[in-house]
mmCIF file of all heavy atoms in Angstrom:
data_model
loop_
_atom_site.group_PDB
_atom_site.id
_atom_site.type_symbol
_atom_site.label_atom_id
_atom_site.label_comp_id
_atom_site.label_asym_id
_atom_site.label_seq_id
_atom_site.Cartn_x
_atom_site.Cartn_y
_atom_site.Cartn_z
ATOM 1 N N ILE S 16 14.555 60.146 89.348
ATOM 2 C CA ILE S 16 14.743 61.258 90.316
ATOM 3 C C ILE S 16 14.286 60.658 91.671
ATOM 4 O O ILE S 16 13.125 60.248 91.775
ATOM 5 C CB ILE S 16 13.919 62.509 89.993
ATOM 6 C CG1 ILE S 16 14.372 63.091 88.594
ATOM 7 C CG2 ILE S 16 14.117 63.482 91.082
ATOM 8 C CD1 ILE S 16 13.529 64.209 88.168
ATOM 9 N N SER S 25 10.833 47.574 110.250
ATOM 10 C CA SER S 25 10.164 47.138 111.451
ATOM 11 C C SER S 25 9.597 48.435 112.179
ATOM 12 O O SER S 25 9.885 48.468 113.313
ATOM 13 C CB SER S 25 11.051 46.383 112.396
ATOM 14 O OG SER S 25 11.756 45.374 111.700
ATOM 15 N N TYR S 30 12.911 46.693 117.035
ATOM 16 C CA TYR S 30 13.871 46.546 116.053
ATOM 17 C C TYR S 30 13.988 47.701 114.999
ATOM 18 O O TYR S 30 14.586 47.548 114.068
ATOM 19 C CB TYR S 30 13.998 45.221 115.498
ATOM 20 C CG TYR S 30 14.131 44.114 116.419
ATOM 21 C CD1 TYR S 30 13.161 43.071 116.573
ATOM 22 C CD2 TYR S 30 15.280 44.101 117.180
ATOM 23 C CE1 TYR S 30 13.325 42.120 117.526
ATOM 24 C CE2 TYR S 30 15.391 43.149 118.041
ATOM 25 C CZ TYR S 30 14.444 42.088 118.202
ATOM 26 O OH TYR S 30 14.576 41.051 119.138
ATOM 27 N N LEU S 40 18.610 61.926 94.705
ATOM 28 C CA LEU S 40 19.508 61.373 93.675
ATOM 29 C C LEU S 40 18.955 61.424 92.302
ATOM 30 O O LEU S 40 17.804 61.249 92.132
ATOM 31 C CB LEU S 40 19.756 59.851 94.052
ATOM 32 C CG LEU S 40 20.793 59.131 93.265
ATOM 33 C CD1 LEU S 40 22.288 59.602 93.718
ATOM 34 C CD2 LEU S 40 20.699 57.628 93.667
ATOM 35 N N ILE S 42 19.608 60.202 88.357
ATOM 36 C CA ILE S 42 20.255 59.316 87.559
ATOM 37 C C ILE S 42 19.821 59.537 86.105
ATOM 38 O O ILE S 42 18.642 59.569 85.677
ATOM 39 C CB ILE S 42 20.149 57.882 87.900
ATOM 40 C CG1 ILE S 42 20.776 57.653 89.245
ATOM 41 C CG2 ILE S 42 20.786 56.938 86.852
ATOM 42 C CD1 ILE S 42 20.465 56.206 89.925
ATOM 43 N N ILE S 62 17.834 50.015 96.185
ATOM 44 C CA ILE S 62 17.570 49.390 94.893
ATOM 45 C C ILE S 62 16.181 48.787 94.791
ATOM 46 O O ILE S 62 15.558 48.693 93.744
ATOM 47 C CB ILE S 62 18.653 48.440 94.313
ATOM 48 C CG1 ILE S 62 18.980 47.361 95.329
ATOM 49 C CG2 ILE S 62 19.913 49.269 94.055
ATOM 50 C CD1 ILE S 62 20.005 46.341 94.772
ATOM 51 N N LEU S 64 13.613 49.874 96.416
ATOM 52 C CA LEU S 64 12.673 50.976 96.185
ATOM 53 C C LEU S 64 12.712 51.388 94.729
ATOM 54 O O LEU S 64 11.682 51.670 94.055
ATOM 55 C CB LEU S 64 13.007 52.124 97.160
ATOM 56 C CG LEU S 64 12.592 51.959 98.527
ATOM 57 C CD1 LEU S 64 13.504 52.696 99.448
ATOM 58 C CD2 LEU S 64 11.119 52.428 98.652
ATOM 59 N N PRO S 71 8.144 53.602 100.186
ATOM 60 C CA PRO S 71 8.819 54.398 101.089
ATOM 61 C C PRO S 71 7.893 54.902 102.188
ATOM 62 O O PRO S 71 6.669 54.948 102.003
ATOM 63 C CB PRO S 71 9.255 55.612 100.313
ATOM 64 C CG PRO S 71 8.318 55.680 99.141
ATOM 65 C CD PRO S 71 7.880 54.218 98.906
ATOM 66 N N ASP S 79 11.033 58.548 84.458
ATOM 67 C CA ASP S 79 10.578 59.213 83.281
ATOM 68 C C ASP S 79 9.506 60.245 83.593
ATOM 69 O O ASP S 79 8.499 60.424 82.901
ATOM 70 C CB ASP S 79 10.043 58.239 82.287
ATOM 71 C CG ASP S 79 11.012 57.754 81.357
ATOM 72 O OD1 ASP S 79 12.105 58.525 81.274
ATOM 73 O OD2 ASP S 79 10.898 56.820 80.504
ATOM 74 N N ILE S 83 6.339 56.866 90.728
ATOM 75 C CA ILE S 83 5.993 55.486 90.754
ATOM 76 C C ILE S 83 5.286 54.902 91.849
ATOM 77 O O ILE S 83 4.795 53.854 91.819
ATOM 78 C CB ILE S 83 7.300 54.578 90.563
ATOM 79 C CG1 ILE S 83 8.217 54.637 91.802
ATOM 80 C CG2 ILE S 83 8.160 54.927 89.254
ATOM 81 C CD1 ILE S 83 9.388 53.632 91.785
ATOM 82 N N ASN S 92 4.313 47.831 84.990
ATOM 83 C CA ASN S 92 4.970 48.184 83.929
ATOM 84 C C ASN S 92 6.510 48.417 84.171
ATOM 85 O O ASN S 92 7.419 48.357 83.417
ATOM 86 C CB ASN S 92 4.482 49.541 83.243
ATOM 87 C CG ASN S 92 3.053 49.253 82.734
ATOM 88 O OD1 ASN S 92 2.772 48.134 82.322
ATOM 89 N ND2 ASN S 92 2.270 50.247 82.626
ATOM 90 N N GLY S 95 9.242 45.718 84.122
ATOM 91 C CA GLY S 95 9.791 45.352 82.803
ATOM 92 C C GLY S 95 10.904 46.467 82.380
ATOM 93 O O GLY S 95 11.913 46.159 81.787
ATOM 94 N N TYR S 103 23.043 36.569 93.867
ATOM 95 C CA TYR S 103 22.907 35.161 93.622
ATOM 96 C C TYR S 103 21.640 34.785 92.736
ATOM 97 O O TYR S 103 20.832 33.935 93.264
ATOM 98 C CB TYR S 103 22.837 34.351 94.877
ATOM 99 C CG TYR S 103 24.252 34.462 95.440
ATOM 100 C CD1 TYR S 103 24.626 35.377 96.404
ATOM 101 C CD2 TYR S 103 25.325 33.377 95.283
ATOM 102 C CE1 TYR S 103 25.933 35.573 96.946
ATOM 103 C CE2 TYR S 103 26.571 33.486 95.808
ATOM 104 C CZ TYR S 103 26.807 34.534 96.604
ATOM 105 O OH TYR S 103 28.060 34.591 97.193
ATOM 106 N N PRO S 104 21.445 35.440 91.546
ATOM 107 C CA PRO S 104 20.158 35.290 90.852
ATOM 108 C C PRO S 104 20.079 33.809 90.422
ATOM 109 O O PRO S 104 18.879 33.474 90.110
ATOM 110 C CB PRO S 104 20.310 36.274 89.671
ATOM 111 C CG PRO S 104 21.809 36.295 89.511
ATOM 112 C CD PRO S 104 22.459 36.331 90.858
ATOM 113 N N ASN S 123 5.375 37.233 81.542
ATOM 114 C CA ASN S 123 4.683 37.808 82.597
ATOM 115 C C ASN S 123 4.229 39.263 82.523
ATOM 116 O O ASN S 123 3.375 39.672 83.231
ATOM 117 C CB ASN S 123 5.579 37.591 83.875
ATOM 118 C CG ASN S 123 4.840 37.135 85.028
ATOM 119 O OD1 ASN S 123 3.684 36.752 84.956
ATOM 120 N ND2 ASN S 123 5.506 37.314 86.209
ATOM 121 N N ALA S 138 18.228 37.685 73.922
ATOM 122 C CA ALA S 138 18.783 37.955 75.295
ATOM 123 C C ALA S 138 19.865 36.853 75.692
ATOM 124 O O ALA S 138 20.927 37.196 76.065
ATOM 125 C CB ALA S 138 17.757 38.008 76.509
ATOM 126 N N LEU S 148 22.574 25.195 74.406
ATOM 127 C CA LEU S 148 22.286 24.981 75.891
ATOM 128 C C LEU S 148 20.688 25.436 76.061
ATOM 129 O O LEU S 148 20.214 25.348 77.099
ATOM 130 C CB LEU S 148 23.082 25.982 76.682
ATOM 131 C CG LEU S 148 24.600 25.505 76.776
ATOM 132 C CD1 LEU S 148 25.346 26.582 77.570
ATOM 133 C CD2 LEU S 148 24.683 24.219 77.515
ATOM 134 N N SER S 152 18.518 21.764 81.109
ATOM 135 C CA SER S 152 17.999 22.140 82.400
ATOM 136 C C SER S 152 18.975 23.264 83.035
ATOM 137 O O SER S 152 20.183 22.967 82.998
ATOM 138 C CB SER S 152 17.824 20.992 83.365
ATOM 139 O OG SER S 152 17.876 21.559 84.796
ATOM 140 N N SER S 157 27.156 25.663 84.662
ATOM 141 C CA SER S 157 28.075 26.096 85.761
ATOM 142 C C SER S 157 27.570 27.322 86.356
ATOM 143 O O SER S 157 26.618 27.913 85.868
ATOM 144 C CB SER S 157 29.455 26.379 84.928
ATOM 145 O OG SER S 157 29.365 27.628 84.307
ATOM 146 N N ALA S 167 19.890 37.129 81.478
ATOM 147 C CA ALA S 167 19.104 37.065 80.224
ATOM 148 C C ALA S 167 17.609 37.209 80.498
ATOM 149 O O ALA S 167 16.884 37.801 79.795
ATOM 150 C CB ALA S 167 19.520 35.821 79.500
ATOM 151 N N VAL S 198 27.963 43.604 81.182
ATOM 152 C CA VAL S 198 27.279 44.688 81.591
ATOM 153 C C VAL S 198 27.759 46.026 80.928
ATOM 154 O O VAL S 198 26.983 46.871 80.620
ATOM 155 C CB VAL S 198 27.393 44.890 83.202
ATOM 156 C CG1 VAL S 198 26.859 46.171 83.667
ATOM 157 C CG2 VAL S 198 26.768 43.635 83.836
ATOM 158 N N ASN S 205 24.051 49.198 74.000
ATOM 159 C CA ASN S 205 22.547 49.183 73.989
ATOM 160 C C ASN S 205 22.020 50.318 74.767
ATOM 161 O O ASN S 205 20.769 50.489 74.905
ATOM 162 C CB ASN S 205 22.021 47.837 74.551
ATOM 163 C CG ASN S 205 22.508 46.665 73.787
ATOM 164 O OD1 ASN S 205 23.773 46.473 73.772
ATOM 165 N ND2 ASN S 205 21.606 45.858 73.255
ATOM 166 N N ASN S 206 22.883 51.180 75.297
ATOM 167 C CA ASN S 206 22.476 52.471 75.943
ATOM 168 C C ASN S 206 21.545 52.172 77.179
ATOM 169 O O ASN S 206 20.524 52.911 77.438
ATOM 170 C CB ASN S 206 21.920 53.430 74.979
ATOM 171 C CG ASN S 206 21.946 54.929 75.524
ATOM 172 O OD1 ASN S 206 22.847 55.248 76.355
ATOM 173 N ND2 ASN S 206 20.825 55.652 75.221
ATOM 174 N N THR S 239 32.665 61.242 90.176
ATOM 175 C CA THR S 239 33.346 60.222 89.386
ATOM 176 C C THR S 239 34.110 59.447 90.280
ATOM 177 O O THR S 239 34.566 59.778 91.424
ATOM 178 C CB THR S 239 34.287 61.008 88.336
ATOM 179 O OG1 THR S 239 35.357 61.650 89.109
ATOM 180 C CG2 THR S 239 33.478 62.017 87.513
ATOM 181 N N SER S 249 38.495 59.369 104.450
ATOM 182 C CA SER S 249 37.039 59.356 104.773
ATOM 183 C C SER S 249 36.287 58.238 104.339
ATOM 184 O O SER S 249 35.335 57.888 104.973
ATOM 185 C CB SER S 249 36.479 60.742 104.258
ATOM 186 O OG SER S 249 36.011 60.576 102.989
ATOM 187 N N ARG S 251 37.572 55.234 104.438
ATOM 188 C CA ARG S 251 37.841 54.283 105.369
ATOM 189 C C ARG S 251 37.010 54.405 106.610
ATOM 190 O O ARG S 251 36.638 53.441 107.268
ATOM 191 C CB ARG S 251 39.353 54.376 105.754
ATOM 192 C CG ARG S 251 40.071 53.151 105.888
ATOM 193 C CD ARG S 251 41.444 53.196 105.948
ATOM 194 N NE ARG S 251 41.966 52.334 104.864
ATOM 195 C CZ ARG S 251 43.202 51.823 104.920
ATOM 196 N NH1 ARG S 251 44.108 52.290 105.825
ATOM 197 N NH2 ARG S 251 43.623 51.076 103.935
ATOM 198 N N ALA S 281 45.758 49.248 88.784
ATOM 199 C CA ALA S 281 47.029 48.783 89.300
ATOM 200 C C ALA S 281 48.110 49.005 88.250
ATOM 201 O O ALA S 281 49.146 49.463 88.489
ATOM 202 C CB ALA S 281 46.855 47.317 89.672
ATOM 203 N N GLU S 287 53.129 54.587 86.360
ATOM 204 C CA GLU S 287 53.462 55.935 86.790
ATOM 205 C C GLU S 287 54.672 55.944 87.642
ATOM 206 O O GLU S 287 55.621 56.762 87.735
ATOM 207 C CB GLU S 287 52.169 56.519 87.521
ATOM 208 C CG GLU S 287 52.409 57.937 88.211
ATOM 209 C CD GLU S 287 52.937 58.895 87.323
ATOM 210 O OE1 GLU S 287 52.968 58.821 86.094
ATOM 211 O OE2 GLU S 287 53.271 59.945 87.830
#
Side-chain angles (χ1 to χ4, degrees):
Chain S
I16 301 172
S25 311
Y30 299 121
L40 189 67
I42 294 173
I62 59 175
L64 281 152
D79 265 348
I83 66 166
N92 291 338
Y103 293 87
N123 219 16
L148 292 176
S152 159
S157 77
V198 173
N205 303 57
N206 202 32
T239 64
S249 83
R251 222 168 233 195
E287 171 60 10

